[in-house]
């Protein structure tokens, strides 16, 4: 079965077929580094990570490029409002570049903690001004620009595919009801390629250009940097759904206008929002939660990753601490089941043995279900269900279960092997499964013989070793407390 991906451009799921056999160019819009990423932004990057890991697991050689926006992004995506970087620098009494460096580091510290694989290429907008100017010149040469009110604009009326991605009808393009009107624009959806007469007298970063000293509009950086590193046509472009209507529509217009190549990108992948009390979590509203906030409350970053995987990336996900709490409990119980399985498989040494083990029998079937789930437009909820099925399968050999689970974890990124290793090495003095089960057998016999004092003594001894017993009509189960 092949990977089927939902393509926003076509509004349908279609089999994935890269431009070149075995090689994939992937561009995901990166953060604007004027503040911490909130956990909604991080949903976008976990989505990219799952897709990239899925492709790599299938043997594709993926080049993942991510931009860092450190110039030109205004508070409104369509050239209205303040410059986000300048405002943040002023509020914090720092330079724009200091702010950018601080929040870029914070961003990667978050993505590392979420076990998101780092991109192959991370490119800063301010390092690529020459590439942007070169691209704008190409767009200008092909007749898609006009100069007005001190800025160079892209004229969307010259580009027949404008609005294809957002499925905008030609009539709605004229309406202009959406946004504050910039009197220099011919059409409301035209957008700035290069600001010269800056509306921000305090703009710290400006560069010489054929259109005068100034700075680039926000959208051009993604066209310039993606094509620099991935070529003029590439396979996948990803971001949150808020980018469909303006940012990605403008990226397509600029790129195809410059090269004359259509389509620029083959698959457009967009994640839905993480919402808080039914409203989109957003950086500018200030009411957002960071990864550090939830870590400070005692959760692990992997609890949040697990929470995200419980929802499909194209469905809105409602965040609440109650749901995070159940994700944590669920991950704990998963890890404790794995601990049992690993103990039965031979303890610490079994972890290396299981890694890279070819799955067989029933475990291979769970793995096939898991792969089918991901192939079906990255259904992580179904993939997690397959992992649970595997864990609960008491007929398969523990070593086979571990091997299949580690293989699933190549995509899920829950650090199963690492967490288990930590668990084993931190508790070398713990009782092993055989010792625990032997003690339980003695206790069961004592209870049968109505020797309750001895039974209680064994229960307490086990408790002191961190092993909790639970009696039920079907027998006694145990867990590490
Ligand atoms: P930004 O740093 O604002 O440019 O956003 C970074 C990424 O996060 C983009 O792909 C956005 O589309 C995405 N994003 C923003 N808000 C949310 C949200 N509440 N839920 C999911 N993704 C979001
Ligand atoms: Zn972008």
């Amino acid at each position: 079965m092949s990977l089927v991906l939902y393509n926003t451009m076509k509004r349908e799921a279609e089999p994935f077929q890269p431009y070149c056999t075995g090689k994939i160019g992937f561009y995901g819009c990166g953060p604007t580094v004027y503040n911490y990423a909130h956990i909604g932004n991080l949903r976008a990057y976990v989505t990219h990570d799952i897709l990239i890991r899925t492709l790599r697991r299938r043997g594709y050689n993926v080049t993942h490029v991510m931009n860092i926006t450190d110039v030109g992004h205004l508070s409104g995506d369509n050239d209205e409002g303040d410059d986000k970087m300048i405002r943040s620098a002023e509020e914090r009494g720092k330079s724009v570049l200091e702010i950018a460096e601080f929040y870029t580091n914070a961003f990667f510290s978050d993505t590392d903690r979420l076990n998101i694989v780092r991109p192959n290429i991370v490119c800063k907008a301010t390092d690529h001004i020459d590439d942007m100017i070169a691209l704008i010149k190409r767009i200008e040469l092909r007749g898609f620009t006009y100069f007005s009110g001190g800025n160079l604009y892209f004229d969307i009326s010259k580009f027949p595919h404008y609005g294809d991605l957002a499925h905008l009808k030609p009539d709605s393009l004229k309406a202009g009801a959406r946004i504050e009107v910039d009197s220099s624009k011919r059409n409301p959806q035209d957008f700035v390629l290069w600001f010269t007469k800056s509306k921000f007298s305090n703009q710290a970063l400006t560069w010489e250009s054929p259109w005068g000293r100034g700075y680039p509009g926000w959208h051009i950086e993604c066209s310039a940097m993606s094509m620099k590193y991935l070529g003029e046509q590439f396979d996948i472009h990803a971001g949150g759904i808020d980018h469909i209507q303006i940012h990605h529509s403008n990226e397509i217009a600029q790129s195809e206008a410059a090269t004359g190549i259509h389509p620029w990108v083959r698959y457009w992948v967009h994640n839905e929002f993480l919402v808080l009390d039914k409203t989109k979590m957003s950086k500018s509203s200030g009411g957002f939660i960071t990864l550090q906030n939830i870590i400070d409350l005692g959760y692990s970053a992997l609890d949040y990753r697990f929470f995200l995987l419980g929802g499909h990336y194209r469905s809105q996900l409602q965040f609440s601490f109650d749901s995070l709490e159940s994700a944590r409990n669920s991950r704990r119980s998963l890890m404790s089941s794995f601990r049992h399985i690993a103990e039965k498989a031979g303890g610490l040494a079994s972890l290396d043995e299981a890694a890279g083990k070819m799955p067989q029998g029933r475990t291979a079937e769970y793995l096939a279900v898991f792969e089918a789930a991901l192939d079906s437009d990255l259904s992580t909820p179904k993939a997690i269900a397959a992992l649970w099925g595997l864990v609960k399968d008491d007929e398969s050999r523990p070593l086979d279960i571990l091997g299949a689970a580690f293989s699933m974890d190549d995509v899920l990124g829950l650090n199963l092997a690492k967490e288990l290793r930590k668990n084993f090495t931190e508790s070398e003095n713990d009782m092993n499964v055989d010792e625990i089960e032997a003690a339980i057998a003695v206790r069961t016999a004592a209870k049968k013989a109505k020797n309750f004092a001895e039974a209680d003594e064994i229960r307490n001894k086990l408790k002191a070793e961190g092993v909790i017993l639970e009696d039920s009509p079907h027998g006694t189960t145990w867990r590490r407390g």
Side-chain angles (χ1 to χ4, degrees):
M1 199 179 140
S2 71
L3 171 64
V4 170
L5 260 189
Y6 185 85
N7 187 353
T8 310
M9 182 61 87
K10 301 199 175 153
R11 297 292 193 275
E12 64 184 24
E14 50 176 1
F16 179 74
Q17 191 69 53
Y19 279 121
C20 294
T21 318
K23 270 177 80 174
I24 291 171
F26 179 104
Y27 186 87
C29 290
T32 306
V33 283
Y34 68 102
N35 202 340
Y36 292 107
H38 56 64
I39 54 173
N41 299 133
L42 294 170
R43 182 180 197 198
Y45 302 108
V46 168
T47 303
H48 301 181
D49 191 51
I50 293 292
L51 173 52
I52 291 167
R53 284 169 177 265
T54 300
L55 294 166
R56 288 192 175 137
R57 190 172 190 281
R58 283 185 147 270
Y60 289 112
N61 177 1
V62 183
T63 304
H64 174 194
V65 178
M66 181 194 282
N67 65 308
I68 300 289
T69 301
D70 53 0
V71 68
H73 194 173
L74 308 191
S75 56
D77 286 351
N78 208 32
D79 307 325
E80 5 42 301
D82 308 340
D83 182 306
K84 295 183 180 192
M85 296 298 301
I86 298 179
R87 198 203 306 155
S88 170
E90 282 180 349
E91 279 168 10
R92 292 165 174 80
K94 302 267 186 215
S95 75
V96 165
L97 290 182
E98 281 168 341
I99 290 292
E101 192 185 352
F102 179 84
Y103 288 114
T104 303
N105 292 338
F107 173 76
F108 283 114
S109 143
D110 283 352
T111 59
D112 286 350
R113 289 186 289 181
L114 282 167
N115 204 18
I116 293 173
V117 178
R118 288 221 183 184
N120 302 87
I121 296 168
V122 174
C123 36
K124 288 197 313 195
T126 49
D127 286 342
H128 294 77
I129 302 294
D130 289 348
D131 300 294
M132 295 184 219
I133 291 177
L135 191 65
I136 299 173
K137 278 194 199 160
R138 287 174 74 184
I139 301 171
E140 188 178 38
L141 254 170
R142 292 172 57 95
F144 289 87
T145 64
Y146 60 93
F147 198 78
S148 170
N151 299 324
L152 186 74
Y153 288 92
F154 187 97
D155 183 349
I156 64 144
S157 69
K158 302 263 169 64
F159 182 70
H161 289 292
Y162 195 84
D164 280 4
L165 182 71
H167 285 208
L168 297 175
K169 300 210 168 64
D171 283 355
S172 70
L173 289 178
K174 292 191 194 100
R178 194 180 67 202
I179 36 170
E180 140 196 338
V181 180
D182 169 351
S183 57
S184 304
K185 289 185 182 182
R186 291 183 191 160
N187 312 291
Q189 284 85 2
D190 289 350
F191 54 93
V192 176
L193 293 167
W194 190 264
F195 291 97
T196 62
K197 207 163 117 218
S198 165
K199 47 180 173 174
F200 311 110
S201 51
N202 53 354
Q203 174 59 272
L205 300 172
T206 55
W207 294 264
E208 289 304 336
S209 85
W211 312 281
R213 196 169 177 87
Y215 62 100
W218 171 41
H219 316 291
I220 194 72
E221 67 174 84
C222 287
S223 293
M225 295 193 280
S226 59
M227 289 198 279
K228 173 169 182 155
Y229 295 109
L230 296 172
E232 294 191 346
Q233 257 190 327
F234 59 92
D235 302 291
I236 306 175
H237 196 314
I241 51 159
D242 50 334
H243 284 343
I244 298 172
Q245 187 137 357
I246 302 178
H247 182 50
H248 289 165
S249 293
N250 293 356
E251 282 189 40
I252 294 171
Q254 298 163 151
S255 308
E256 296 191 4
T259 63
I261 298 172
H262 174 78
W264 173 44
V265 166
R266 202 148 186 173
Y267 299 89
W268 286 90
V269 176
H270 291 100
N271 63 281
E272 250 288 357
F273 288 138
L274 179 84
V275 295
L276 192 61
D277 301 328
K278 302 218 162 53
T279 43
K280 173 197 172 225
M281 191 175 290
S282 89
K283 263 190 220 177
S284 48
S285 72
F288 67 82
I289 299 169
T290 63
L291 188 66
Q292 189 60 48
N293 292 150
I294 64 176
I295 289 173
D296 291 344
L297 289 168
Y299 297 94
S300 121
L302 290 179
D303 292 332
Y304 182 59
R305 184 173 174 110
F306 196 65
F307 164 78
L308 288 177
L309 299 186
H312 187 261
Y313 78 96
R314 284 200 302 111
S315 302
Q316 241 184 39
L317 189 58
Q318 175 78 39
F319 179 81
S320 72
F321 281 99
D322 282 347
S323 0
L324 184 61
E325 182 73 29
S326 28
R328 169 165 70 183
N329 291 339
S330 178
R331 194 175 76 87
R332 278 187 179 163
S333 117
L334 186 74
M335 289 316 298
S336 105
S337 303
F338 271 117
R339 164 85 199 207
H340 278 276
I341 294 166
E343 282 174 357
K344 284 193 189 140
L348 193 56
S350 69
L351 304 183
D352 288 332
E353 211 182 319
K357 202 170 183 319
M358 282 298 286
Q360 33 197 311
R362 290 163 62 94
T363 58
E365 285 166 29
Y366 286 111
L367 212 48
V369 173
F370 174 84
E371 280 161 1
L374 291 171
D375 282 350
S376 156
D377 195 26
L378 308 176
S379 176
T380 50
K382 286 189 185 150
I384 296 277
L387 178 66
W388 275 115
L390 177 73
V391 166
K392 294 195 171 137
D393 179 19
D394 42 24
E395 283 174 35
S396 294
R397 288 198 325 144
L399 202 61
D400 291 334
I401 296 181
L402 278 186
F406 291 167
S407 167
M408 292 180 184
D409 203 36
D410 287 347
V411 174
L412 299 175
L414 296 170
N415 266 346
L416 288 181
K418 199 169 157 196
E419 296 271 301
L420 280 174
R421 196 173 301 280
K422 200 166 83 190
N423 198 292
F424 273 116
T425 43
E426 274 171 4
S427 55
E428 264 174 353
N429 300 326
D430 283 355
M431 292 177 81
N432 66 36
V433 178
D434 292 341
E435 289 168 333
I436 296 166
E437 285 180 352
I440 292 175
V442 174
R443 178 172 172 266
T444 309
K447 276 194 347 185
K448 238 187 190 164
K450 304 214 183 309
N451 192 350
F452 296 115
E454 187 189 348
D456 284 349
E457 196 185 322
I458 294 171
R459 173 194 278 279
N460 291 337
K461 251 192 186 156
L462 287 171
K463 194 172 173 199
E465 295 284 344
V467 177
I468 315 291
L469 301 189
E470 269 151 27
D471 293 320
S472 79
H474 310 291
T476 302
T477 56
W478 62 275
R479 64 183 166 84
R480 293 192 194 268

